[in-house]
Amino acid sequence: PLHVREKRLIAVVSPDLRHHPVGRFWVPIASKLYEDYTLVHIALNAGFDDAIRNKLKITSHQWQDFSGHDDPLPFLQSLRPDALIDLGGHTADSRPSLLNQRIAPLQVTYLGFYGPSFATNCDWWILDKAIASRISDSYPHAESIWRLSCPSLCFDPDLHGLPSLADLHFSEPSHPVFGSFNHSRKLTDACLQRFASVISSIPDATFLFRSHSFYDKQVRRWFLDRLIQAGLTPEQLLAIPYAITPTEGYEDYKRLHLHFDSYPVCGTTTTLDSLAMGIPVLTCPNKLYAGAISAALLEHLGFSEWIAEEPSQLVEKALMLLNRHKSADARMKLAHHVRSSSLCDTDLIPSEFSKQIIEMFKFSSIRTNH
């Protein structure tokens, strides 16, 4: 029998359709795609529901769980989607190899870290112009980049659990307070040396740092020793345990004047958390996606001058940011600015993403016809 599909069908594949940064970034876009297309989510980590997973289930015309080593390929082939969107990238439990198959006329990768898929049948890697301009020559033989005119990450402070602006009350220490809340696996020797070079130039500064792994006292001690070896004094250092709840974690930002970005892998969610909490971020990018995304986020906010393109600029940039944001009022104004920016526009980014999918379909039609 003749079957007419009223709306194009988009299949979205990811192990992170849950309480995870990818899931939280995806929810606003999924809500818009649900209006414009038939949206099917294929979750590669069947498990317990959480708030983000439930939101995505609501914005799905169909939801399919896969677990363990189950192969989603037969299901996808039977679905016959018009477009396949991979949100996994190269992170745990993802299946970028699906993009080696021609499952749909249009196949793209988006959101998943830490780079392009390099798959033989991936048509586009969806980025925005700011990050694309920094890394476009860094991945030879990868799929082509599709450049969004708006930010490629849609950050909703409420979905990420940030306190409201009315609940922000900053501390007013008499000395500069630096912070680093990225995961300890990002705290390389080169990264810690950069932190130390800045902090040691400001003798009365202190450094708060935390990570998931700091529940282990020996791990905390190990990082303290490394920073002392890099030239800092014990009095300047405070390794704080990772907060038990997100609410407690956001309280730690209120103690900072400036957040250090990690290197060579920078922050993403942590960078956005810090900025939306009113804390400036100092970054020194490289030419890879995982090392340049913080710089792109700052460019979207109009803060290009915060970016140290060379390590030699770090001390100068840090002093500038400390001077500008030493008052609680200045940090509150920054939080207002970030939360009203395009990065947090949950109408603009999803609408633009949906429109660009239409443009991608045009290119896939041209390729098919030829």
Side-chain angles (χ1 to χ4, degrees), residues 241-282:
Y242 203 79
I244 297 175
T245 67
T247 300
E248 292 174 327
Y250 289 120
E251 288 296 315
D252 292 334
Y253 283 99
K254 300 177 183 180
R255 305 165 63 183
L256 306 181
H257 291 110
L258 174 62
H259 190 273
F260 284 135
D261 200 12
S262 51
Y263 176 88
V265 175
C266 66
T268 303
T269 306
T270 307
T271 297
L272 287 163
D273 285 343
S274 181
L275 293 168
M277 288 294 292
I279 309 303
V281 175
L282 177 61

Side-chain angles (χ1 to χ4, degrees), residues 130-201:
I131 185 65
S133 67
R134 288 184 169 273
I135 57 91
S136 58
D137 297 327
S138 300
Y139 299 94
H141 312 300
E143 59 267 38
S144 300
I145 293 173
W146 187 279
R147 293 167 171 80
L148 301 175
S149 58
C150 62
S152 55
L153 298 179
C154 188
F155 184 73
D156 184 338
D158 292 334
L159 278 178
H160 287 256
L162 273 68
S164 68
L165 290 170
D167 291 329
L168 290 187
H169 304 286
F170 299 96
S171 62
E172 292 278 18
S174 59
H175 60 277
V177 181
F178 297 101
S180 171
F181 295 162
N182 286 308
H183 199 288
S184 59
R185 62 172 171 257
K186 296 183 179 181
L187 303 180
T188 62
D189 287 337
C191 177
L192 296 179
Q193 286 288 347
R194 292 183 178 193
F195 291 173
S197 69
V198 176
I199 299 166
S200 60
S201 69

Side-chain angles (χ1 to χ4, degrees), residues 63-365:
W63 180 280
Q64 189 69 37
D65 281 315
F66 286 90
S67 59
H69 298 289
D70 292 344
D71 185 4
L73 180 59
F75 172 78
L76 283 166
Q77 290 173 328
S78 67
L79 197 63
R80 301 181 64 187
D82 297 292
L84 174 64
I85 301 178
D86 165 58
L87 301 183
H90 300 282
T91 49
D93 302 319
S94 62
R95 304 284 181 87
S97 60
L98 289 170
L99 295 172
N100 287 324
Q101 309 291 325
R102 179 51 70 180
I103 298 167
L106 172 64
Q107 301 189 163
V108 301
T109 186
Y110 168 66
L111 271 185
F113 300 109
Y114 289 100
S117 72
F118 288 96
T120 53
N121 282 304
C122 185
D123 302 307
W124 305 102
W125 179 21
I126 301 177
L127 301 173
D128 58 58
K129 292 180 179 179
I131 185 65
S133 67
R134 288 184 169 273
I135 57 91
S136 58
D137 297 327
S138 300
Y139 299 94
H141 312 300
E143 59 267 38
S144 300
I145 293 173
W146 187 279
R147 293 167 171 80
L148 301 175
S149 58
C150 62
S152 55
L153 298 179
C154 188
F155 184 73
D156 184 338
D158 292 334
L159 278 178
H160 287 256
L162 273 68
S164 68
L165 290 170
D167 291 329
L168 290 187
H169 304 286
F170 299 96
S171 62
E172 292 278 18
S174 59
H175 60 277
V177 181
F178 297 101
S180 171
F181 295 162
N182 286 308
H183 199 288
S184 59
R185 62 172 171 257
K186 296 183 179 181
L187 303 180
T188 62
D189 287 337
C191 177
L192 296 179
Q193 286 288 347
R194 292 183 178 193
F195 291 173
S197 69
V198 176
I199 299 166
S200 60
S201 69
I202 309 170
D204 62 337
T206 57
F207 183 44
L208 273 65
F209 62 111
R210 72 171 193 213
S211 178
H212 291 279
S213 58
F214 283 6
Y215 70 89
D216 187 323
K217 294 180 180 180
Q218 290 184 329
V219 173
R220 293 206 305 273
R221 177 70 191 194
W222 186 65
F223 277 99
L224 285 167
D225 287 343
R226 290 172 70 192
L227 285 164
I228 291 170
Q229 291 169 14
L232 299 181
T233 64
E235 294 76 18
Q236 292 178 293
L237 302 173
L238 180 58
I240 54 180
Y242 203 79
I244 297 175
T245 67
T247 300
E248 292 174 327
Y250 289 120
E251 288 296 315
D252 292 334
Y253 283 99
K254 300 177 183 180
R255 305 165 63 183
L256 306 181
H257 291 110
L258 174 62
H259 190 273
F260 284 135
D261 200 12
S262 51
Y263 176 88
V265 175
C266 66
T268 303
T269 306
T270 307
T271 297
L272 287 163
D273 285 343
S274 181
L275 293 168
M277 288 294 292
I279 309 303
V281 175
L282 177 61
T283 190
C284 186
N286 55 35
K287 298 295 184 181
L288 299 176
Y289 180 91
I293 186 64
S294 287
L297 295 171
L298 292 175
E299 288 176 347
H300 282 296
L301 291 168
F303 296 146
S304 297
E305 62 179 326
W306 296 11
I307 304 167
E309 299 292 353
E310 300 293 337
S312 59
Q313 299 175 327
L314 284 168
V315 174
E316 174 193 353
K317 300 283 186 182
L319 289 170
M320 177 266 291
L321 289 170
L322 283 175
N323 184 58
R324 290 186 183 178
H325 297 90
K326 60 185 177 183
S327 72
D329 182 61
R331 281 170 272 161
M332 179 61 79
K333 287 180 180 177
L334 175 60
H336 275 276
H337 175 79
V338 172
R339 297 194 194 199
S340 61
S341 73
S342 60
L343 288 172
C344 300
D345 194 329
T346 55
D347 291 322
L348 169 68
I349 298 174
S351 295
E352 181 63 20
F353 191 96
S354 183
K355 291 176 184 176
Q356 290 303 306
I357 291 291
I358 295 174
E359 295 303 312
M360 293 179 211
F361 275 127
K362 293 178 182 178
F363 277 88
S364 66
S365 297

